[in-house]
Structure formats: structure tokens, C-alpha cells
Amino acid sequence: MALLEVEDLVVQYYTEDGVVRAVDGISYEIRAGETVGLVGESGAGKSAASRALLRLLDGTGEIVGGKIRFRGRDILELSSDDLRAIRGNEIGMVFQDAGAALNPVYTIGEQIAETIRAHEDVSDGEARDRTIALLDRVGISKPATRYTDYPHELSGGMQQRAVIAMALACDPALLICDEPTTGLDVTVQAGILEVLAELAAESETAIQLVTHDLGVVADLCDRVLVQYAGEIVERAPVEDLYYDPKHPYTVGLLVATPRLGDDRERLPTIPGTAPDLVAPPTGCRFHPRCPYAEGCCSRRRPPLVEPASGSPANGDPDAHVAACLEYTGDLETGLDYEIQVRDEAGEDGQERTHQGDPQ
Ligand code: SF4
């Protein structure tokens, strides 16, 4: 059984400009121990989808449809007490803004130890020992000394490590990381990613990693969900997505991702901007920005299908599926893109160039 099952989830925000449907009918699952990336540009609804998992939407947000099952339990039906018991215990969360996640008037050690005591019947000494071990595990040097540091005494990177330690305090089955490295400088980012990579490799904790950075996903994830304008437009095992992307939006993201040894002077970008979700485009939501759009694209909403057969996506989480009318046979001209993704770090150590062509 899947650890987490999300089915037709719909999340709306009520704004002065109207109702924003930030998440519009997404479905996916995460199994124990796997790392799944949720990628897309800002405004794609990734964070809304992640916060909804623990009903952590702010006051203007509401889950208006769908189901979220964690270990078979319906999250949307849980009482506040039952939900509190799951948060921080069975499901941990790491947000982008580590400073805001830490309480400035308590030391980081006290905060992590308190998280342990809130969910487990342990002595103060045991909570302290476990906290020091956690600080060590996330790469904070001199953890016993750092235990007594207040958040303002730590750098941004150290604060994020402390937040990850807090999220891991009760050995959660699922860790949701929402843009955990955004805003950190590159070397600090690499350190945080190393911590997450170790966690993904060595523990049974499943990770949902929300990011706009496909490079981060390549390093860490087993599978990838690509979200655009509130919808999932492609889902695939990570290698399939990188070497054989099927959706023009995914291709645009990949081409815009810098690579080691990249000699392009300028990175191409996807033309246009993410759509206004108060009044999203009709048909395929990507059609105003898609270089392959045809007349039918503004009229028909493409379903998620298996590209090779055009069969509707079934429940197999390992299947490669994409939502583009090319794969339902509706495009006349078809996609004729040719992408080149250079991989300096191929498993065989050889540089290779992949050319993707869906024709
Ligand atoms: S359905 Fe049309 S607009 Fe949408 S991605 Fe496919 S070709 Fe582009």
C-alpha cells in the first residue's frame, strides 16, 4: 500500500481578484522510502499542494475537493488532535524560510528536544541526547555546544539544518521539503542537499521535494511530478524524465537548466509567464506559451496518457505519463523538438549527449 495517496486534490485561494485554483485535480502517490520531486515554476501551485497535505493552508486557502490518504487514513477527515499527532511525528515539514520556522526565544536544542517530548514519553536527558545526535546527523559541528545556541546565532544554512533536524526528530515516515535550499548560497545549498541525499539513501523516510530546480531533482529523486498551472503535466521515473521528456513544458524546463560544463552564453527560457489562475487558459493551459500549439490545444484539455500507447494513465506510479494532445493523436503537425541534454556525470563517466525526439 502507498504511504501517501493524493486523489483529485483541488485547492483554492480566495483573493480580491477572484478565486485562484492553485491546485486543480492532481493525483499521485508516494511509497515508503522513495524520494519524489514536485517541480515547476513559481505560481504552479507546488507549495499549495504540499501544505494541503497537512492542512497547513493559510486563512485564504481551502481544500475544496479530493482525498489525501496517509497510511490509509483520510487526512481531511482527521480531528485537530489526530492531525497534530501526525504533524511533526509521522510527517515532518521543512519550509524555505528556516528563520520563520524557529522560535527566536528558545535555543535550537530546546526546540528540537521539545518536539521529541511532545510526541514520545522520554526523559529530558534522553531527549537531549537524541537532539545532539540529530544535530550531528545533519552536519552541525560541535552539536553539544550548538544545542544552547539561539536561532539568531546560526547562519541561514545552519538554521535550515536545525529545521531538518527538528523535522527528523521523531523519525517521520514522510518528510515534505518545500524549496529547502532556495535563498541559500550555492555552497550552503550543496551542504543541505548532501544531508537530504544521505537521508534518502540511508533511511526509510520518504521525501516529497518541492523545487523549481530540475538539477536538484536529478541528484535526489527517484520519480518526478511536473506541475504547471495547478495541474500535473508529466510524471515519470527521474531518468526517463531527463533522457526522454515528453511534455513541451518539461522540455522547456530542462533546456533552461544549467549543466556542468555548459558552454551556452545564454540559457534559453520558456517564453511568456505562468498564467493567472483566476482565469487560466482554456484547453491545454500551456498553449499560450507552447511552440507546438495548434488550434485544438486551446479547445481540448489534454488528459494524462502513456505517450507510447495513448492509453489513459492508470494507477502505476512508475509509468511515464504526459498531458499533451500529441499523445492522444489530436495534433496534426506533431512535436518535432530536438533537445540536447549533456550529462557530464553519466554513470559510465563518459560525457553523453541525448537527443530527445518524440516523433
Ligand atoms: S497540448 Fe498543445 S499546447 Fe499543450 S503541450 Fe501539447 S502541443 Fe503544447
Side-chain angles (χ1 to χ4, degrees):
M1 184 174 66
L3 182 68
L4 175 76
E5 294 165 279
V6 175
E7 195 182 314
D8 280 332
L9 180 66
V10 181
V11 177
Q12 291 184 170
Y13 285 88
Y14 302 94
T15 71
E16 286 182 0
D17 295 330
V19 177
V20 174
R21 202 167 255 235
V23 179
D24 200 358
I26 68 170
S27 301
Y28 64 96
E29 66 177 66
I30 297 180
R31 294 163 293 191
E34 69 174 345
T35 300
V36 176
L38 184 56
V39 301
E41 297 164 291
S42 298
K46 310 182 301 292
S47 290
S50 297
R51 287 176 172 269
L53 298 181
L54 280 173
R55 291 172 25 200
L56 285 173
L57 300 169
D58 67 27
T60 61
E62 186 185 6
I63 298 168
V64 296
K67 291 204 179 314
I68 302 168
R69 279 185 290 270
F70 176 72
R71 288 178 159 160
R73 299 171 78 190
D74 187 343
I75 292 277
L76 304 182
E77 297 292 326
L78 292 180
S79 68
S80 302
D81 284 347
D82 287 343
L83 191 58
R84 236 188 323 274
I86 286 181
R87 282 185 195 145
N89 185 21
E90 294 178 72
I91 303 179
M93 281 207 81
V94 176
F95 295 110
Q96 179 182 338
D97 186 355
L102 294 167
N103 188 327
V105 301
Y106 294 101
T107 70
I108 58 160
E110 286 166 345
Q111 293 181 57
I112 297 169
E114 178 52 31
T115 302
I116 296 171
R117 284 194 298 264
H119 293 288
E120 296 180 37
D121 184 18
V122 296
S123 68
D124 290 353
E126 187 179 337
R128 180 186 163 84
D129 290 347
R130 277 175 52 181
T131 298
I132 291 170
L134 280 164
L135 292 174
D136 186 43
R137 181 177 173 193
V138 298
I140 293 182
S141 59
K142 300 185 186 157
T145 310
R146 290 296 195 182
Y147 186 99
T148 55
D149 280 357
Y150 288 88
H152 73 269
E153 296 178 279
L154 302 179
S155 65
M158 285 297 151
Q159 286 182 351
Q160 192 60 293
R161 286 175 192 261
V163 169
I164 294 172
M166 189 146 60
L168 296 178
C170 294
D171 203 12
L174 174 65
L175 185 65
I176 300 165
C177 297
D178 188 359
E179 302 273 9
T181 58
T182 303
L184 299 174
D185 71 42
V186 179
T187 48
V188 177
Q189 200 177 77
I192 300 288
L193 292 175
E194 207 175 305
V195 170
L196 293 176
E198 276 174 23
L199 180 70
E202 293 169 8
S203 80
E204 269 302 293
T205 300
I207 302 175
Q208 174 169 311
L209 178 66
V210 178
T211 179
H212 59 273
D213 188 337
L214 271 171
V216 168
V217 166
D219 287 341
L220 288 180
C221 295
D222 302 307
R223 293 190 296 117
V224 191
L225 314 167
V226 180
Q227 189 163 336
Y228 183 78
E231 301 175 333
I232 289 176
V233 296
E234 186 159 4
R235 163 164 63 77
V238 70
E239 292 239 327
D240 290 0
L241 190 102
Y242 275 82
Y243 291 108
D244 194 14
K246 295 297 187 187
H247 195 282
Y249 177 61
T250 311
V251 172
L253 288 178
L254 279 169
V255 170
T257 302
R259 299 248 151 186
L260 196 63
D262 212 330
D263 52 11
R264 292 175 294 180
E265 283 184 13
R266 248 170 210 245
L267 284 175
T269 53
I270 300 171
T273 54
D276 175 4
L277 293 182
V278 173
T282 55
C284 172
R285 292 184 177 176
F286 189 52
H287 84 259
R289 304 173 71 187
C290 181
Y292 313 102
E294 296 180 12
C296 60
C297 297
S298 61
R299 296 191 300 273
R300 280 180 222 160
R301 198 168 174 178
L304 271 176
V305 298
E306 293 186 10
S309 64
S311 312
N314 61 24
D316 178 6
D318 290 321
H320 187 167
V321 294
C324 171
L325 294 175
E326 164 75 353
Y327 308 115
T328 57
D330 286 303
L331 286 195
E332 282 181 17
T333 310
L335 308 179
D336 60 357
Y337 61 69
E338 184 177 87
I339 60 158
Q340 297 195 342
V341 181
R342 191 188 301 155
D343 181 14
E344 301 277 357
E347 277 180 13
D348 53 7
Q350 302 288 313
E351 180 180 310
R352 25 182 192 154
T353 298
H354 167 80
Q355 298 196 344
D357 182 353
Q359 295 280 17

